[in-house]
Amino acid sequence: MILGYKYNTLEEAEASLEIVNTYFGLPCGEDCLRWTDVEEGDGFWYLFAERLEEVLGEPVIIEINR
Amino acid sequence: MGIKIGNINANTSVKLGTTTIQSGYIGTDLIFGNQIIKILDAYGSAHHAYSLRKLGSVYNGACLRVRRTTASPNLITTTTADVEFDSNGTISFSSPISNKTGNATNAINLGEFAIGAVDGLTAQSVINVVTWYDQSGNSKNPTNATVTQQPRLVRLDSGVATLETSGGKAAVRFIRTSSTRLRIADTSADINNLSSYFVGAYAAFSTNTQNVYSLSTTNRWYLPASTSGGVYAGYDNDAFAIFLNTMNTDRKLYELISPSPSSNSFIIAYSNGVVVGDALIQSGPISSIDIGAAGGLNPYDGFIQEIITYQSNANRLQKERNINSYWQIYGL
């Protein structure tokens, strides 16, 4: 089971992801990495990944098993 | 080194005069000895070739690009590096690392990188695969920039960094729940003229559809793909075109050959050196090289050690023997 975060807009989700990328020290530029992808569903935007709670606090939703 | 005459073991080395013979061949088939001719030296011109062993003498690049993201109680940092082959031509904690980017590291090999003591880290680290380098010389390097989707090379066992292995040899571990996969777009081959050799093992029994290695989701080339009915080779419009075997966690050598050497009208599949089925040959370009999923879907849960694909059906048996000689999968 992977914990997830729900956002009303893509911009909000991307802003959170940028915070996560910075927290984990991910390189950007030629060797650019990102912690996870922003996913869309039911008109909302989501972040699902391991260790997000270290940065974003308690998740607001829970995804079922993949 | 043992050698038999009939069923009699010779318990001494084989010699010509006083010179010990280290290995013997019939044609290009290794019949005894520890040295196996590198497969791409004997049978070059692969379309793409990924392995945790060094496949040829011409390729002098790294095997993998990997990532270390440290965990608490350390300062959280990320470093990426290339992992090169060790002196045995495989991947181990002695494998040198190079081309380091991101947070600085003093590590000179994979073991130091994972353990982290040389960098003052007090917790050891998981090491994930960013890119699996193509040893064919064609630079078809599948990659994933999304770090939580990257497969794993080193895990933590009770906090101890441990190289992923299958059958006692290094492996890349793909994890279904994290949807791990590597990909590169590629349209430079057709499913009417390919032969693929796959070495790997499922990690656990599963009835979910899993696509392990895929070259297209429309003009399918899946080796293997699995569902509740078992493990299959997928081809053209059928994701489960040829039954390979029941679902199991044994390490396997799967082959998908197009066209069959015995008929241009069919493709043929093998499991551990045994013919398991065929299908009518079709045409159509591939769209990508996907390892661990197909088009990002139906991720795999298991280990991969080698995938080599040629645009030729030549020398199938010799390639099979070379692969099995190194990976020790069956019948030895």
Side-chain angles (χ1 to χ4, degrees):
Chain A
M1 188 170 60
I2 298 173
L3 304 179
Y5 297 78
K6 183 177 181 180
Y7 300 91
N8 291 318
T9 67
L10 174 61
E11 289 72 22
E12 288 175 352
E14 287 179 334
S16 275
L17 179 56
E18 192 53 43
I19 293 169
V20 172
N21 292 343
T22 301
Y23 172 83
F24 287 112
L26 298 184
C28 210
E30 189 178 334
D31 213 3
C32 199
L33 300 177
R34 58 184 171 272
W35 191 253
T36 188
D37 293 333
V38 177
E39 297 182 30
E40 184 184 13
D42 300 328
F44 294 96
W45 304 85
Y46 300 88
L47 295 178
F48 297 108
E50 304 156 8
R51 298 182 63 182
L52 286 178
E53 67 279 8
E54 288 180 39
V55 195
L56 302 177
E58 287 297 309
V60 294
I61 63 162
I62 297 174
E63 190 206 22
I64 60 172
N65 289 330
R66 274 202 171 94
Chain B
M1 185 236 353
I3 186 169
K4 286 182 178 180
I5 298 173
N7 59 1
I8 306 299
N9 274 313
N11 58 4
T12 59
S13 297
V14 177
K15 293 183 178 181
L16 276 180
T18 57
T19 302
T20 299
I21 307 303
Q22 300 294 339
S23 55
Y25 296 83
I26 295 177
T28 55
D29 291 344
L30 179 72
I31 58 170
F32 73 89
N34 295 322
Q35 291 187 332
I36 300 171
I37 292 178
K38 292 181 173 63
I39 189 168
L40 294 186
D41 290 344
Y43 313 107
S45 302
H47 184 265
H48 53 272
Y50 315 111
S51 183
L52 295 184
R53 64 165 169 156
K54 189 168 167 55
L55 295 172
S57 301
V58 174
Y59 179 77
N60 287 312
C63 177
L64 302 164
R65 184 152 190 83
V66 299
R67 171 185 57 85
R68 178 187 75 183
T69 298
T70 57
S72 178
N74 301 307
L75 178 67
I76 306 301
T77 63
T78 294
T79 307
T80 54
D82 285 344
V83 179
E84 301 168 8
F85 296 101
D86 66 13
S87 58
N88 295 316
T90 187
I91 296 301
S92 68
F93 274 5
S94 299
S95 292
I97 64 170
S98 61
N99 194 20
K100 297 172 271 191
T101 62
N103 196 65
T105 176
N106 297 311
I108 61 170
N109 59 42
L110 180 62
E112 289 185 355
F113 194 48
I115 293 168
V118 295
D119 296 325
L121 303 178
T122 55
Q124 300 185 21
S125 297
V126 170
I127 304 294
N128 295 87
V129 176
V130 179
T131 302
W132 200 339
Y133 290 118
D134 177 13
Q135 296 187 48
S136 75
N138 294 325
S139 298
K140 299 181 188 297
N141 304 323
T143 192
N144 197 329
T146 301
V147 303
T148 49
Q149 296 170 0
Q150 292 166 350
R152 193 172 66 201
L153 181 64
V154 175
R155 68 178 186 277
L156 293 180
D157 279 351
S158 302
V160 177
T162 305
L163 186 69
E164 294 286 357
T165 60
S166 179
K169 293 176 181 284
V172 177
R173 173 74 160 94
F174 290 78
I175 301 166
R176 180 178 174 81
T177 53
S178 300
S179 197
T180 55
R181 70 256 192 189
L182 303 170
R183 183 176 195 274
I184 183 170
D186 191 282
T187 58
S188 64
D190 193 293
I191 64 170
N192 66 9
N193 181 31
L194 288 172
S195 62
S196 290
Y197 302 80
F198 169 91
V199 178
Y202 283 84
F205 177 81
S206 170
T207 58
N208 296 315
T209 298
Q210 297 185 35
N211 289 322
V212 183
Y213 163 63
S214 163
L215 300 182
S216 168
T217 55
T218 50
N219 305 316
R220 291 173 183 80
W221 186 270
Y222 295 167
L223 191 71
S226 59
T227 184
S228 57
V231 183
Y232 297 81
Y235 187 68
D236 189 46
N237 62 1
D238 189 350
F240 309 110
I242 302 174
F243 180 78
L244 297 174
N245 49 244
T246 56
M247 171 57 88
N248 63 80
T249 57
D250 297 336
R251 209 157 49 116
K252 295 287 187 182
L253 166 55
Y254 293 131
E255 304 167 50
L256 188 58
I257 312 294
S258 171
S260 165
S262 59
S263 171
N264 284 337
S265 300
F266 290 90
I267 67 161
I268 191 165
Y270 295 79
S271 173
N272 283 1
V274 176
V275 174
V276 287
D278 57 22
L280 281 173
I281 198 163
Q282 306 291 340
S283 295
I286 68 169
S287 56
S288 61
I289 300 167
D290 281 22
I291 303 176
L297 301 176
N298 301 320
Y300 173 49
D301 201 25
F303 302 89
I304 298 178
Q305 294 174 308
E306 184 163 289
I307 299 169
I308 305 173
T309 292
Y310 294 86
Q311 288 178 291
S312 161
N313 64 5
N315 302 115
R316 185 205 67 80
L317 183 59
Q318 290 87 345
K319 292 169 184 171
E320 174 190 283
R321 287 176 177 169
N322 180 289
I323 293 167
N324 193 41
S325 292
Y326 178 80
W327 292 108
Q328 304 270 301
I329 302 163
Y330 63 88
L332 295 165

